[in-house]
Amino acid sequence: MRVLVIDDEKNIRRSLALVLEPEGFEILQAGSAEEGLEVLGTQRVDAVMLDVALPGMDGLKCLRQIMTDEP
């Protein structure tokens, strides 16, 4: 299963990857909502873990965009 983690804090992304990868998950990472949407434009993912408080586009706007683009 491929999971995209979108969080502006690198340590949070890294910690989630350290926990999930040994369980068999492939982790993709993005440091902003905009970067996450770019990843989704080129990669197929099964799930997204999304921080709500992001600089630039906030997580809720990003979620709405994801749901529109990838229902």
Side-chain angles (χ1 to χ4, degrees):
M1 178 179 249
R2 184 180 285 178
V3 178
L4 172 60
V5 177
I6 304 173
D7 197 301
D8 57 320
E9 295 186 41
K10 186 176 184 176
N11 288 336
I12 300 258
R13 295 192 314 265
R14 189 176 322 162
S15 295
L16 287 169
L18 287 171
V19 170
L20 295 172
E21 286 175 336
E23 298 298 323
F25 294 94
E26 179 183 350
I27 305 301
L28 302 175
Q29 299 182 32
S32 69
E34 294 84 359
E35 185 182 341
L37 292 173
E38 286 180 28
V39 170
L40 288 171
T42 62
Q43 302 284 325
R44 176 143 172 78
V45 301
D46 299 297
V48 176
M49 297 182 77
L50 175 63
D51 186 9
V52 175
L54 294 167
M57 178 188 288
D58 68 40
L60 294 177
K61 284 185 182 179
C62 182
L63 178 60
R64 284 192 289 274
Q65 188 65 49
I66 291 170
M67 292 175 65
T68 298
D69 295 346
E70 301 288 333

